[in-house]
Amino acid sequence: MTPMPPAAGRRRRIFVPPPAELVPPAPPQLPDPPIYRDLVRTWADRGRTLPGRHDPEWVRLAAPLFGLAQFSGSRDPRRDGR
């Protein structure tokens, strides 16, 4: 695409933002206290959902359902004869 020249007598001003400031790196994550590690281990042993871990049941429940249109609640009175 060829840039079009600005209208006669008008000049375009181009805004160039200043450089972004450097963000300091995040401090290293501290390990969880032993009580939380034990709790997570207990939950995992019982098959419970854990934060940050894959949950196949949630994936199954959140998956889109196909064929819902055939079970919708809306009816066309012309087709039902009502």
Side-chain angles (χ1 to χ4, degrees):
M1 179 190 262
T2 306
M4 298 190 62
R10 299 181 78 185
R11 300 190 114 207
R12 296 180 85 183
R13 290 186 180 190
I14 299 174
F15 174 72
V16 178
E21 296 179 24
L22 294 177
V23 177
Q29 288 262 334
L30 299 175
D32 289 332
I35 189 169
Y36 294 120
R37 283 191 302 247
D38 292 344
L39 180 62
V40 167
R41 189 176 307 118
T42 301
W43 282 0
D45 291 344
R46 294 180 183 171
R48 294 197 181 175
T49 302
L50 300 171
R53 301 208 182 157
H54 178 71
D55 181 6
E57 184 177 7
W58 173 253
V59 171
R60 181 182 62 80
L61 293 172
L65 299 175
F66 297 102
L68 283 181
Q70 61 185 334
F71 300 111
S72 69
S74 62
R75 293 184 182 176
D76 184 356
R78 294 171 291 178
R79 296 188 78 198
D80 286 345
R82 295 180 189 175

